Amino acid sequence: MDPKNAFIITLIILLTIPDALICRVFAEGVTFDEAKQLRDEVSEMFYHAFNGYMDHAFPRDELKPLSCEGEDTLGGYALTLIDSLDTLALLGDKDRFTSSVEWISKNLRFDINKTVSLFETTIRILGGLLSAHLIASDYSMGMRIPSYDDELLHLAEDLARRLLPAFDTPTGIPYGSVNLLHGVDENESKITSTAGGGTLTLEFGVLSRLTNDPIFEQVTKNAVRGIWARRSKLNLVGAHIDVFTGEWTQKDAGIGTSIDSFYEYLLKAYILFGDEEYLYIFQEAYGAAMHYLFHDPWYVEVNMNSAALVWPLFNSLQAFWPGLQVLAGDIDPAIRTHTAFFSVWKRYGFTPEGFNLASFSVQHGQKSYPLRPELIESTYWLYKATRDPRYLDVGRDIVSSLQYGARCTCGYCHILDVEFHKQEDHMESFFLAETVKYLWLLFDLAAGPDNLVENGPYKYIFSTEGHLLPMTPRISLAREHCSYFGAYCKNSNFRPTYISNDGHHTNSSSRFQRGVGSTSYVTQYGFRKSTTSMSGIIKGLCPGLTHEQMYGLSYVASPDMLPQEEPTTDHVENGGGQSQSMVVLSDSA
């Protein structure tokens, strides 16, 4: 047959076969046996990097995998080991997990004169300690250490108290850095990122529930409120903000760099803690992002006030978004966006930090790939939701790229330039905390899962650093013991209402209504949250208020709108410097 005719016939066949059939034909490359082999290969990847760190870098923070040396990049306290603890547990390596926990318990101290990033220290160190504590102290997870006596929890609490001075600002939005011995330096920058100030709720909230001290959860929730109160009228937030004045210093709104995990923790905090305030903010923020930032299948950056296009750019941190959409139940756009993002990986073998959507080329100055996990994370969540074998093919391609392009003498190297695959002598701790973790979970799920996430006694939320936070009763049912909702109520009109199990809240202006005795609640994007275990009583709500007022989410009020002190209510300072009426009532009231 003439080659030209053969090509035409093939093209006609491809255009007439249903998409689902094409997907099945081209995506069934990974067999059951190969999935097991890939899972084992990923496990070997982890140990190549972990052993390289332990042999050549420990107890310094991170490994230089080309020169086989260590370097301190955060605080000089064995960062990579702490970040790797729950991955060791996930892989079922009880001996390494136990010896690592014991070393950390005996040797780690935070009374050091080091100025550290609040964000990075929280997600990597605090999150790593809390996750490992929950695993090491719970028999039902299969990794209980008999001699363990809450040492990691005590370290986590000590660290968090050293981070608290960062939150001492007029807005409640924290400084970006804090000294672990002396607090915030007088010359510390007052500018922080939205992600830096709004991605602390999971770790601090879990710590509050484990220590019965509400201060940790309160300060991080106030930080979220402080950011959200300064959103634009389009419900968009910018990238950087002055923590003293509340003025936005960078007004670019997007889902990537400097903002990404702000969205992530809104939904995850609701799922983990059952706090509807986070769900409400997420709904509003997500709806605005899909309206103003989504140019199907890509996302762009716009001015937060006008929605004018600022950057037609895909940056690699955006790749977490399809995974978040899976949790929100918005699967179709997640599939399309993931396909687009993976096309960039296929083009270069890695995703560059920036890819220009106007020129369809690597953005100048953003050519590196620092072993980021976000695309792999979304691949795992989409496979978990759809069981579509195409995502196993994606995982296999990613493994191949890492093995042939990033593997080096003692670990895995940053890729300095994705076009030429030039290696750089650095390995971030998140490679072990996230990148290989999500790859291993992907293939283990396909091979017949045998791990504590899929088969264990709890459901888990993954932190933005990939740390496992189990939805134990102590963490997720804390509101059984105390229900409190803030409200901007004028005290002359304030009358707390008490609603029984068979009642409904009377506010008709809310975007979603909750039947107080209902068993579940569905967002407009399909996410379902069971509320069966909640007490079913909402107490202390002001009648007739909008949802924004009820939860204190209005724009920062002028002084004449502030409530006056009243002896029957407690007053706490919120992130915007306003006095917020709060009714605190136990369930026995």
Side-chain angles (χ1 to χ4, degrees):
M1 181 183 294
D2 181 71
K4 181 177 180 181
N5 291 334
F7 171 77
I8 293 174
I9 291 172
T10 302
L11 183 61
I12 291 173
I13 292 173
L14 290 174
L15 291 174
T16 54
I17 294 177
D19 288 344
L21 181 57
I22 293 175
C23 177
R24 189 175 300 115
V25 169
F26 288 102
E28 288 185 344
V30 177
T31 65
F32 175 80
D33 288 337
E34 189 178 4
K36 292 195 292 184
Q37 293 171 1
L38 285 164
R39 178 192 62 192
D40 293 342
E41 183 176 356
V42 173
S43 180
E44 187 279 330
M45 291 169 62
F46 171 82
Y47 283 108
H48 174 64
F50 181 78
N51 291 337
Y53 166 76
M54 294 301 293
D55 292 342
H56 302 287
F58 175 77
R60 304 191 75 178
D61 281 338
E62 291 179 321
L63 172 69
K64 299 175 71 173
L66 277 175
S67 58
C68 297
E69 299 174 347
E71 59 180 334
D72 287 330
T73 52
L74 188 60
Y77 32 53
L79 165 63
T80 297
L81 179 62
I82 297 170
D83 227 2
S84 303
L85 289 174
D86 61 355
T87 308
L88 288 167
L90 182 65
L91 295 176
D93 192 341
K94 190 167 186 177
D95 291 341
R96 289 285 192 100
F97 178 72
T98 299
S99 61
S100 298
V101 168
E102 289 176 346
W103 185 92
I104 291 168
S105 299
K106 294 175 183 176
N107 295 280
L108 191 62
R109 296 182 60 178
F110 294 115
D111 54 340
I112 53 177
N113 186 16
K114 292 275 189 178
T115 297
V116 299
S117 163
L118 174 66
F119 171 74
E120 297 292 351
T121 303
T122 297
I123 67 171
R124 300 199 200 196
I125 300 296
L126 185 60
L129 291 172
L130 289 171
S131 179
H133 160 73
L134 289 163
I135 295 170
S137 60
D138 193 326
Y139 280 105
S140 65
M141 295 190 205
M143 300 295 288
R144 172 77 166 94
I145 300 173
S147 61
Y148 180 71
D149 191 26
D150 293 347
E151 291 91 348
L152 299 190
L153 178 61
H154 299 322
L155 284 168
E157 183 177 6
D158 176 55
L159 174 61
R161 293 196 185 281
R162 296 176 185 278
L163 300 177
L164 284 178
F167 294 87
D168 187 15
T169 67
T171 62
I173 305 169
Y175 288 96
S177 299
V178 61
N179 186 283
L180 295 178
L181 200 59
H182 304 297
V184 178
D185 186 85
E186 62 180 8
N187 296 317
E188 180 61 42
S189 171
K190 294 180 175 62
I191 308 301
T192 195
S193 69
T194 297
T199 311
L200 310 165
T201 49
L202 294 189
E203 293 83 1
F204 276 72
V206 167
L207 183 61
S208 276
R209 283 158 168 72
L210 295 179
T211 61
N212 295 316
D213 188 339
I215 186 62
F216 306 111
E217 185 168 3
Q218 288 172 355
V219 295
T220 54
K221 190 170 187 177
N222 280 343
V224 171
R225 287 170 168 166
I227 292 169
W228 187 242
R230 291 163 175 84
R231 70 198 183 277
S232 74
K233 292 184 178 180
L234 304 180
N235 281 337
L236 296 173
V237 293
H240 291 94
I241 193 168
D242 188 308
V243 302
F244 264 61
T245 67
E247 295 293 322
W248 293 100
T249 59
Q250 185 180 354
K251 298 181 180 180
D252 300 349
I255 62 165
T257 305
S258 300
I259 304 176
D260 51 352
S261 48
F262 172 75
Y263 290 100
E264 178 185 1
Y265 270 36
L266 291 175
L267 181 57
K268 289 183 176 181
Y270 168 64
I271 298 172
L272 186 60
F273 302 137
D275 188 330
E276 296 155 14
E277 182 174 343
Y278 290 116
L279 175 62
Y280 174 76
I281 301 175
F282 175 76
Q283 287 183 308
E284 297 297 299
Y286 182 77
M290 295 302 290
H291 183 75
Y292 296 108
L293 309 179
F294 186 43
H295 289 238
D296 198 350
W298 305 95
Y299 290 82
V300 297
E301 294 183 10
V302 304
N303 180 278
M304 64 180 288
N305 294 313
S306 66
L309 179 65
V310 176
W311 277 103
L313 188 74
F314 159 62
N315 70 67
S316 60
L317 288 173
Q318 293 178 355
F320 88 100
W321 190 258
L324 182 65
Q325 290 180 306
V326 169
L327 291 181
D330 206 5
I331 303 293
D332 289 342
I335 292 172
R336 297 195 300 273
T337 294
H338 180 276
T339 300
F341 289 173
F342 182 61
S343 72
V344 178
W345 183 288
K346 290 286 285 185
R347 176 180 290 216
Y348 300 107
F350 301 100
T351 45
E353 289 291 80
F355 180 75
N356 192 299
L357 299 177
S359 63
F360 254 63
S361 61
V362 177
Q363 180 69 21
H364 180 71
Q366 299 185 34
K367 296 184 176 183
S368 66
Y369 169 69
L371 305 175
R372 290 202 185 279
E374 284 78 14
L375 182 62
I376 303 163
E377 175 186 0
S378 288
T379 303
Y380 163 68
W381 283 112
L382 278 165
Y383 180 70
K384 189 177 177 74
T386 67
R387 292 305 197 271
D388 190 326
R390 81 173 86 170
Y391 298 112
L392 299 179
D393 281 353
V394 171
R396 179 175 56 185
D397 286 351
I398 291 173
V399 168
S400 296
S401 293
L402 291 170
Q403 290 287 62
Y404 292 107
R407 190 177 178 112
C408 49
T409 309
C410 297
Y412 288 81
C413 293
H414 280 201
I415 302 302
L416 190 62
D417 187 328
V418 298
E419 292 179 301
F420 299 100
H421 288 197
K422 182 178 179 181
Q423 294 182 340
E424 183 180 16
D425 195 14
H426 186 63
M427 187 182 79
E428 293 273 5
S429 66
F430 58 64
F431 179 74
L432 296 176
E434 299 181 83
T435 307
V436 294
K437 179 182 289 170
Y438 286 119
L439 277 172
W440 189 88
L441 283 167
L442 171 68
F443 295 119
D444 190 60
L445 187 59
D450 183 20
N451 64 75
L452 61 86
V453 170
E454 305 297 342
N455 298 338
Y458 307 116
K459 300 295 184 182
Y460 289 83
I461 288 296
F462 290 79
S463 76
T464 197
E465 187 72 6
H467 291 307
L468 306 177
L469 301 175
M471 298 178 67
T472 66
R474 186 172 184 182
I475 292 172
S476 295
L477 301 184
R479 291 174 65 215
E480 287 282 346
H481 307 294
C482 180
S483 300
Y484 58 91
F485 294 83
Y488 288 105
C489 308
K490 290 187 176 181
N491 291 316
S492 59
N493 298 322
F494 178 72
R495 296 291 185 274
T497 60
Y498 303 89
I499 307 177
S500 63
N501 278 340
D502 58 355
H504 288 74
H505 189 265
T506 58
N507 176 17
S508 62
S509 61
S510 172
R511 268 187 58 183
F512 59 91
Q513 294 293 319
R514 180 187 179 190
V516 181
S518 66
T519 59
S520 67
Y521 215 136
V522 183
T523 75
Q524 70 183 98
Y525 304 105
F527 173 73
R528 182 177 293 273
K529 167 70 177 180
S530 171
T531 57
T532 306
S533 61
M534 294 301 178
S535 62
I537 300 177
I538 299 178
K539 303 176 180 180
L541 302 185
C542 300
L545 295 180
T546 66
H547 205 85
E548 292 95 331
Q549 291 169 326
M550 183 169 65
Y551 289 113
L553 301 176
S554 301
Y555 294 103
V556 177
S558 57
D560 61 336
M561 291 294 291
L562 297 180
Q564 301 300 312
E565 186 171 348
E566 184 172 286
T568 58
T569 60
D570 297 326
H571 289 75
V572 296
E573 291 300 315
N574 78 347
Q578 303 170 6
S579 181
Q580 182 182 11
S581 296
M582 180 176 290
V583 178
V584 181
L585 296 162
S586 71
D587 285 346
S588 60

